[in-house]
Amino acid sequence: MGTRNVPHGRVRNRGDLQAAYGQAQKLLSSQRYDVRRVVQNGDEVAVGLEWGGVLAIAVPSMNLPAGHEMKAYVAMFLTFRDGKIVSQRNYDCYPPFEAAASHAMSSAGGVKTQSAENGNG
């Protein structure tokens, strides 16, 4: 299942996740996860959370300045076997990025620019 950021969805293995983590460390100066709800049924667990990350660098392709706080609402579905995660599905919903970028530009006294559609929903 795809999103605006990843239109065709994606499947990643452990190595892919480690590489993505390394990229996130360069892109974000900080991030946080606020768990809102956890539901368990045997070896299946569903987690609802809010994620926030502060950009360490500007992302010109999305018209986002360094220091901008990204937000997402996330549903995670985990399957455990022998106490270890054997599968994980994430569904992320980002508020529209352009609204936040426009607000940041207005707050800084900059010129408001229009960006391409970048949010998830």
Side-chain angles (χ1 to χ4, degrees):
M1 178 176 282
T3 65
R4 290 181 185 170
N5 292 343
V6 185
H8 302 289
R10 68 178 153 219
V11 174
R12 298 195 271 187
N13 61 30
R14 184 177 179 159
D16 295 335
L17 292 173
Q18 288 171 324
Y21 179 76
Q23 289 296 332
Q25 285 187 308
K26 295 174 189 170
L27 181 65
L28 300 170
S29 61
S30 66
Q31 60 180 323
R32 64 175 169 63
Y33 294 86
D34 293 324
V35 175
R36 301 296 186 192
R37 186 169 188 181
V38 177
V39 178
Q40 180 182 358
N41 183 18
D43 289 342
E44 304 287 326
V45 177
V47 180
L49 61 90
E50 291 181 25
W51 171 85
V54 177
L55 291 175
I57 59 173
V59 181
S61 63
M62 297 169 75
N63 195 29
L64 298 174
H68 174 73
E69 183 175 357
M70 308 270 299
K71 294 183 181 186
Y73 303 94
V74 181
M76 301 171 91
F77 298 90
L78 307 158
T79 302
F80 288 81
R81 257 191 225 114
D82 300 322
K84 296 181 181 179
I85 298 171
V86 295
S87 72
Q88 176 177 336
R89 291 187 102 118
N90 289 12
Y91 299 92
D92 307 336
C93 184
Y94 293 86
F97 297 146
E98 61 274 5
S102 295
H103 175 70
M105 291 293 288
S106 298
S107 297
V111 177
K112 183 178 176 183
T113 58
Q114 185 174 9
S115 63
E117 187 174 273
N118 293 315
N120 277 351

